[in-house]
């Protein structure tokens, strides 16, 4: 069985890894989508027997970094708040607020975004929205795994099977950050 070893990474390797990560990030942002919150219903107080409407709406959609939420409403408001404020319907310390009939929020990071109506009774009766923005899968940022190449890929020797793949995965995760730092030092 043929054993292959990894050559040391040069500045050119770092730059190639960094450019691949940048292109992947650009592809993710190019595929951004604007969601109209509540679809046809928009942003309004749900009917009494439908207080989980916005929770359901969020559960059937998949939000990614770069997407936007468009809130359309009449005689109401939208308040982006912290987690505690969301669960307590507290709009006194907003991160962001709209009260002009329309507001658009860009989802610029992975994680939770919390929105409530500025009217406490509306919030307590279901007019609140928790959106979970997905992190891009690691394979979208670094490309296909070695297994994707099938039989054309060199096979590792039996005494270190898996070690080279682990080293490559670690290198792909850590070295782009090192490349940025290295480029800044030149």
């Amino acid at each position: 069985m043929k054993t292959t070893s990894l050559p040391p990474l040069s500045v050119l390797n770092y730059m190639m890894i960094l450019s691949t990560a940048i292109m992947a990030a650009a592809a993710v942002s190019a595929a951004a989508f604007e969601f109209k919150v509540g679809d046809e219903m928009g942003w309004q107080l749900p009917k009494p027997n439908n207080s989980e409407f916005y929770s359901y709406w969020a559960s059937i959609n998949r939000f990614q970094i770069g997407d936007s939420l468009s809130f359309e409403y009449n005689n109401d408001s939208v308040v982006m708040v912290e987690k505690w404020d969301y669960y307590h319907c507290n709009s006194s310390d907003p991160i962001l607020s709209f009260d002009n009939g329309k507001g658009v929020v860009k989802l610029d990071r992975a994680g939770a975004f919390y929105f409530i109506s500025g009217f406490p009774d509306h919030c307590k009766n279901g007019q609140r929205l928790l959106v979970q923005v997905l992190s891009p899968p690691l394979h979208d940022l670094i490309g296909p795994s070695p297994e994707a190449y099938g039989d054309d890929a060199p096979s590792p020797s039996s005494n270190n099977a898996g070690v080279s793949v682990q080293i490559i995965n670690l290198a792909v995760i850590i070295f782009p950050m090192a490349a940025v730092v290295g480029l800044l030092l030149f």
Side-chain angles (χ1 to χ4, degrees), residues 136-170:
L138 189 56
H139 62 78
D140 284 355
L141 298 176
I142 61 174
S145 67
E147 293 83 20
Y149 296 108
D151 293 335
D152 294 338
S155 59
S157 66
S158 60
N159 63 354
N160 68 352
V163 174
S164 62
V165 173
Q166 291 171 355
I167 292 170
I168 290 170
N169 288 342
L170 184 60

Side-chain angles (χ1 to χ4, degrees), residues 35-135:
F35 291 89
K36 180 182 175 189
V37 174
D39 296 325
E40 295 82 33
M41 186 172 132
W43 180 248
Q44 63 178 310
L45 180 63
K47 294 179 180 171
N49 62 348
N50 199 13
S51 63
E52 295 297 317
F53 174 79
Y54 291 106
S55 295
Y56 175 75
W57 181 84
S59 74
I60 62 171
N61 289 294
R62 296 291 169 255
F63 307 99
Q64 298 185 16
I65 298 170
D67 289 344
S68 299
L69 299 176
S70 174
F71 292 87
E72 295 180 18
Y73 50 92
N74 293 311
N75 303 318
D76 210 323
S77 63
V78 178
V79 183
M80 184 174 168
V81 294
E82 297 290 337
K83 181 178 181 177
W84 187 92
D85 296 320
Y86 170 83
Y87 286 106
H88 294 90
C89 293
N90 178 16
S91 63
S92 66
D93 190 21
I95 297 171
L96 183 67
S97 64
F98 301 100
D99 63 2
N100 61 357
K102 182 169 180 158
V104 177
V105 177
K106 184 166 182 154
L107 304 173
D108 58 356
R109 60 173 172 75
F113 288 79
Y114 301 93
F115 303 93
I116 62 174
S117 169
F119 299 115
D121 289 342
H122 287 200
C123 176
K124 290 175 185 170
N125 290 307
Q127 192 178 358
R128 58 183 174 179
L129 173 66
L130 165 56
V131 169
Q132 277 289 55
V133 177
L134 304 172
S135 296

